Amino acid sequence: MSAQPKEQPRLNKQQQLFSRLANNSLIGIAIVQHNRFTFVNRQFAQLVGYERQELLRVEQVGLIFPNYPVIQSQINSEQPELQFEDQLVHFFGRKVDVEICLMRSQVDEADIDVWFVLDTSQRKQAERSAQIAALVYANTGEAIVVTDENGLIVDVNPAFTEITGYELSEIIGRSMNLLSSGRHNKAFYRKMWQQLRTTGRWQGDLWNKRKNGDEYAERLNISTSYNNDGSVYRRIGLFFDVTTHKEREESIWRQANYDHLTELPNRQLFQKRLQKAMQESDESGKAFALIFLDLDLFKDVNDTFGHDVGDLLLREAAKRLQACVRNDQDTVARIGGDEFTVIVTYVSNQGVVNRICEDILRKIAEPYYLGDDVAKVSVSIGITMYPEDASDAGELLKNADMAMYGAKDSGRNQYCYFIPAMSEAIQARMRFSESLQVAIEENQFVLYYQPIVDMRTGQVVKYEALIRWEHPELGLVPPSEYIPFAEDTGLIVGIGNWVFNAVLKQAKQWSLEGREQLISLNVSPAQFYADGVSAEEWIKQVKEAGVPTQLIIIEITERLLLDNNPIITKILTALRDAGFRIALDDFGTGFSSLTYLKRYPIDIIKIDQSFVRNLAPDSEDLALCEAMIVMAKKLGLEVIAEGVEGPQQEALLLEAGCTLGQGYLYSRPVPAHDLDRWLRERNLNPSKSKTNDPITTGPLPTKV
Ligand code: C2E
Ligand code: CA
Ligand code: CA
């Protein structure tokens, strides 16, 4: 930079100006001569991370600007200036993005190059980020939707199109409402917007609708980008499809809360609904009714038609129940095999509940057409009211259950409201059940025997075994007090098996004493249905005991034959084929007696006491007895008259052609050892056999 001496002051001024400009410039400036820096400004030094002095000492500018030698060769007099983007090498070795303007000029015949360098690294970085963002935007599996400050769609990515089915062109400028499935209520969206406005963010699961109308679940994450003044610029929604996940969740939830057979809420969901009903009732002050339902004798349906048909019936019954209530507010649940509950909410008066129950009774009792079978059931219903009867859920359920038992005890097929006295009755029932259980375990039963005699001679032809319970506190409990109960509860199986074994033992004992004695034992229908009677097992046991099967008579009642169940016929036939004999007890009290006699393998009929009790000449009972005796004889059956208490009955029966009798006239039921004494006395005093002097030594059955 030499100049004419006279121009010296001006040049100095120019130089000063240049220096000032150069050092305050935002642009890096370097002057290069012979491959070395002869001037660098502060910006340039900063840009490449050196001190200015250090740069002036650098021997090869190529160290800082590796492409310089190539660029340099492109500059000539025709093209003294070049502008391009390139990279410089920073002191720490990293590359710095720059835009360079290179100007060549001649000073003292030497080439000098002036570099004007603009740092573009930040801009470049931003560009690269944007590129990556665009790449992600286009390729991510997550759907992205951008809306403007008014919630109108500005942009969507391909994943959005894939999930929703909408192309950007179809949806741009539209509101997101377009996707709304209608599954969420206003409150849901109100809450979402409230949060968005206050925090700018929202996160959650949402059901929306695809273009093809299918609903889908998305896990959505919304964030907001703001303008400088704090107003909303954009909202960005990111979501992915969680439909299968949701569906699986829902299916798990359904499995946990619904009964798979009837699709009604199960016990667990019922408990939740009950809690909710209590809470709502507390808030509204309106009562609700908890109804407990148990199908009557449903077990018989299962036993008669099989479990598949039983299941069909349950499903149908569930539908009928549901038809009796208001679907949107009342709950019908299945809480056990044939047990259902109904919650009737907002009950203003009992009439509403009564009407529902009457409706249920009627609908449940209608016939069920199940494949080829037609079944009928009834239902027993117990009702308890909240908050009147109890304040906690467990108590309520217990009340309703008790009331249901009340309905059963009063003859089933009816409804019954809970009253506090029930709770005592039920407790007594529970205690009774427990003590009966103990009776089985601790062998508190004994068998009494009542002779059946040939009324012509007074000779004993067989004995009927009758069970007695020697209760440690209550004394002798008559069977009428616990047999029906045992039948209801299934305890009859244990009792029945005990009776059978006790009879076998007695028969064996007698045959060891050389007495071949016929013994008749009572078998309850409930034993057959509860798998308590296995023909093979009984035959086997009798054989093992060394007792001829011909000595055992099985007394059944018409109740067993009512259902016309092939399984019963099979068991009876098997027993009879093996040598057992079958007696039809309480004959005349049932329905179509004659049909049974022809259809089933029956050897003996026992005329019920109710006909014998009031036998008198020319009485209607006598006519009935005569008819039964004639009929039995025609069919080749043996006839036994029960409840013979006096000589007049005996005489009339004999006259009518009935030779076998059983009753207090001959003997009350007594323990086996008392029988021996009775027989001895009769043998010592043969006239006694016709004196009709009953033995009275045995304890009499206590009557209730
Ligand atoms: P059932 O089979 O009809 O038995 C005859 C009942 O009449 C017996 O009552 C007997 O004591 C009573 N009885 C006998 N002669 C006379 C009489 O002259 N006058 C009157 N008024 N009654 C007489 P019990 O022993 O109290 O049994 C009642 C019922 O309990 C039996 O009726 C039977 O259905 C059932 N039962 C008794 N033992 C068993 C058993 O081991 N198993 C089963 N499943 N049921 C049994
Ligand atoms: Ca009997
Ligand atoms: Ca009887």
Side-chain angles (χ1 to χ4, degrees):
M1 289 203 193
S2 61
Q4 303 292 325
K6 60 172 179 183
E7 293 189 20
Q8 200 62 37
R10 222 180 86 198
L11 273 177
N12 272 344
K13 267 219 167 106
Q14 275 183 349
Q15 210 157 14
Q16 266 174 14
L17 187 65
F18 168 76
S19 271
R20 280 238 303 276
L21 275 175
N23 278 327
N24 291 311
S25 164
L26 291 172
I27 290 178
I29 300 171
I31 298 173
V32 175
Q33 193 172 11
H34 301 307
N35 243 332
R36 292 186 71 133
F37 293 111
T38 57
F39 171 83
V40 292
N41 72 350
R42 203 183 310 128
Q43 251 60 42
F44 185 83
Q46 252 168 20
L47 196 84
V48 291
Y50 289 82
E51 294 292 329
R52 289 169 76 186
Q53 293 309 314
E54 280 174 339
L55 282 173
L56 296 181
R57 284 197 295 273
V58 167
E59 287 180 4
Q60 291 283 334
V61 295
L63 249 151
I64 304 289
F65 183 13
N67 280 337
Y68 180 60
V70 184
I71 303 285
Q72 204 184 20
S73 65
Q74 290 169 5
I75 285 193
N76 48 47
S77 50
E78 238 124 86
Q79 195 176 332
E81 210 179 293
L82 276 179
Q83 194 165 350
F84 53 90
E85 289 185 351
D86 212 318
Q87 289 182 320
L88 300 185
V89 179
H90 190 271
F91 178 76
F92 290 129
R94 65 179 155 83
K95 303 267 171 59
V96 183
D97 289 304
V98 289
E99 202 175 307
I100 302 181
C101 176
L102 218 158
M103 272 167 56
R104 170 143 319 164
S105 48
Q106 305 265 280
V107 173
D108 300 337
E109 264 146 56
D111 284 347
I112 62 162
D113 287 345
V114 184
W115 304 355
F116 297 95
V117 183
L118 182 68
D119 182 354
T120 60
S121 57
Q122 261 173 12
R123 199 189 76 211
K124 279 277 166 196
Q125 189 55 42
E127 271 173 23
R128 263 185 229 116
S129 296
Q131 250 169 21
I132 291 168
L135 218 64
V136 172
Y137 192 74
N139 292 299
T140 177
E142 211 165 343
I144 302 172
V145 52
V146 184
T147 62
D148 65 11
E149 68 275 25
N150 299 315
L152 302 178
I153 294 169
V154 179
D155 197 9
V156 298
N157 73 341
F160 177 95
T161 304
E162 198 168 309
I163 293 175
T164 65
Y166 286 107
E167 300 282 346
L168 175 63
S169 58
E170 299 172 285
I171 204 171
I172 194 162
R174 309 279 303 264
S175 148
M176 281 296 283
N177 290 350
L178 187 68
L179 300 178
S180 172
S181 67
R183 274 221 212 181
H184 307 282
N185 57 18
K186 280 204 176 100
F188 176 88
Y189 291 107
R190 208 180 306 125
K191 234 171 130 184
M192 171 177 179
W193 276 104
Q194 196 182 345
Q195 195 187 325
L196 267 179
R197 272 192 288 269
T198 50
T199 67
R201 295 186 160 274
W202 186 86
Q203 210 170 0
D205 292 350
L206 200 69
W207 281 94
N208 269 343
K209 206 164 61 189
R210 302 187 215 272
K211 188 179 167 186
N212 66 8
D214 288 351
E215 291 189 351
Y216 71 97
E218 59 182 47
R219 184 146 300 163
L220 174 63
N221 202 319
I222 306 177
S223 48
T224 308
S225 141
Y226 297 97
N227 292 312
N228 288 337
D229 63 1
S231 61
V232 171
Y233 171 57
R234 296 281 188 258
R235 295 207 197 267
I236 301 101
L238 276 119
F239 63 86
F240 51 96
D241 195 327
V242 288
T243 313
T244 36
H245 178 82
K246 280 265 156 191
E247 279 169 353
R248 206 165 42 230
E249 245 176 33
E250 216 169 75
S251 127
I252 290 169
W253 187 83
R254 273 202 82 77
Q255 278 171 35
N257 288 284
Y258 283 85
D259 166 45
H260 67 100
L261 179 67
T262 60
E263 285 169 17
L264 290 177
N266 63 10
R267 184 179 273 272
Q268 185 168 330
L269 186 54
F270 160 73
Q271 295 285 8
K272 284 186 216 155
R273 298 264 175 95
L274 184 58
Q275 291 292 350
K276 198 173 140 225
M278 287 166 62
Q279 200 180 328
E280 279 176 7
S281 165
D282 291 345
E283 283 161 16
S284 69
K286 287 260 170 70
F288 76 83
L290 172 62
I291 303 181
F292 195 105
L293 307 103
D294 185 289
L295 299 184
D296 299 324
L297 305 175
F298 175 69
K299 231 182 103 5
D300 290 358
V301 173
N302 262 343
D303 292 337
T304 311
F305 299 108
H307 285 266
D308 289 347
V309 172
D311 282 355
L312 287 178
L313 189 147
L314 284 175
R315 211 177 289 174
E316 172 67 23
K319 276 204 202 107
R320 294 184 189 181
L321 280 179
Q322 239 170 345
C324 296
V325 302
R326 299 156 299 183
N327 275 331
D328 48 337
Q329 61 182 87
D330 298 337
T331 295
V332 178
R334 179 179 180 223
I335 63 166
D338 60 345
E339 291 175 344
F340 298 87
T341 49
V342 179
I343 301 171
V344 182
T345 49
Y346 299 102
V347 173
S348 46
N349 61 70
Q350 228 174 51
V352 177
V353 182
N354 291 350
R355 265 196 303 284
I356 290 180
C357 289
E358 275 151 26
D359 203 21
I360 289 175
L361 286 175
R362 203 172 36 246
K363 288 216 170 82
I364 290 294
E366 281 166 16
Y368 294 78
Y369 299 96
L370 310 166
D372 297 335
D373 301 308
V374 184
K376 283 192 88 170
V377 284
S378 57
V379 62
S380 294
I381 304 177
I383 308 156
T384 191
M385 300 298 299
Y386 181 90
E388 201 179 308
D389 294 337
S391 57
D392 87 286
E395 198 78 8
L396 272 178
L397 198 58
K398 220 160 72 190
N399 288 352
D401 188 45
M402 277 187 234
M404 186 278 290
Y405 272 109
K408 287 236 191 250
D409 285 346
S410 332
R412 308 188 177 112
N413 192 27
Q414 53 193 289
Y415 62 91
C416 182
Y417 280 89
F418 169 78
I419 46 168
M422 280 176 177
S423 124
E424 290 140 40
I426 293 294
Q427 269 162 11
R429 199 182 149 93
M430 263 168 59
R431 279 197 301 275
F432 191 65
S433 170
E434 278 161 20
S435 59
L436 199 53
Q437 187 80 50
V438 171
I440 299 172
E441 284 159 15
E442 297 189 353
N443 216 352
Q444 294 172 0
F445 295 110
V446 279
L447 280 188
Y448 276 33
Y449 292 88
Q450 187 179 32
I452 295 169
V453 301
D454 184 331
M455 295 187 284
R456 292 167 302 187
T457 61
Q459 287 304 308
V460 175
V461 289
K462 54 191 142 199
Y463 294 103
E464 176 175 4
L466 293 158
I467 193 168
R468 295 290 177 266
W469 178 9
E470 291 180 326
H471 192 286
E473 285 132 37
L474 302 175
L476 215 55
V477 186
S480 56
E481 279 194 20
Y482 55 88
I483 294 291
F485 181 83
E487 287 176 340
D488 275 359
T489 52
L491 290 169
I492 191 67
V493 173
I495 296 175
N497 287 332
W498 179 87
V499 170
F500 184 74
N501 284 314
V503 164
L504 274 193
K505 233 192 237 159
Q506 188 60 59
K508 190 172 177 183
Q509 161 107 27
W510 277 335
S511 59
L512 286 176
E513 291 167 12
R515 290 157 61 184
E516 294 244 300
Q517 197 63 70
L518 284 163
I519 307 179
S520 207
L521 71 123
N522 294 281
V523 181
S524 153
Q527 279 172 265
F528 283 85
Y529 286 126
D531 294 338
V533 174
S534 153
E536 295 87 63
E537 187 59 29
W538 279 16
I539 294 162
K540 198 177 116 215
Q541 286 183 24
V542 175
K543 292 213 167 119
E544 276 170 8
V547 174
T549 46
Q550 284 74 12
L551 293 183
I552 309 293
I553 302 161
I554 311 273
E555 293 196 10
I556 58 167
T557 59
E558 276 181 318
R559 254 198 304 155
L560 182 65
L561 311 178
L562 264 175
D563 294 338
N564 188 16
N565 184 338
I567 295 164
I568 305 293
T569 319
K570 219 178 119 198
I571 297 176
L572 291 178
T573 310
L575 289 173
R576 203 203 199 197
D577 288 350
F580 290 87
R581 297 213 289 154
I582 315 288
L584 195 54
D585 207 352
D586 305 341
F587 191 73
T589 55
F591 304 91
S592 46
S593 322
L594 191 62
T595 337
Y596 295 141
L597 295 179
K598 278 161 87 181
R599 192 186 300 146
Y600 292 99
I602 287 161
D603 308 281
I604 303 161
I605 63 168
K606 298 186 75 176
I607 299 178
D608 190 66
Q609 321 186 350
S610 57
F611 300 96
V612 179
R613 192 175 301 140
N614 303 314
L615 271 189
D618 296 327
S619 64
E620 195 183 325
D621 281 338
L622 180 59
L624 284 169
C625 279
E626 282 169 348
M628 285 189 261
I629 293 162
V630 169
M631 189 174 74
K633 292 226 157 136
K634 274 213 172 117
L635 291 167
L637 304 176
E638 189 180 293
V639 190
I640 301 170
E642 290 188 307
V644 184
E645 292 182 354
Q648 191 190 25
Q649 292 157 296
E650 183 187 63
L652 289 169
L653 285 163
L654 278 171
E655 210 170 301
C658 173
T659 53
L660 300 181
Q662 171 183 6
Y664 296 168
L665 178 61
Y666 314 106
S667 170
R668 289 181 182 271
V670 290
H673 54 84
D674 285 344
L675 282 175
D676 294 347
R677 189 151 40 107
W678 177 68
L679 282 170
R680 252 197 324 275
E681 279 172 25
R682 280 165 61 110
N683 289 345
L684 285 173
N685 182 5
S687 65
K688 242 198 163 170
S689 62
K690 283 305 283 178
T691 57
N692 304 325
D693 182 13
I695 54 162
T696 46
T697 44
L700 305 180
T702 29
K703 275 278 164 225
V704 254

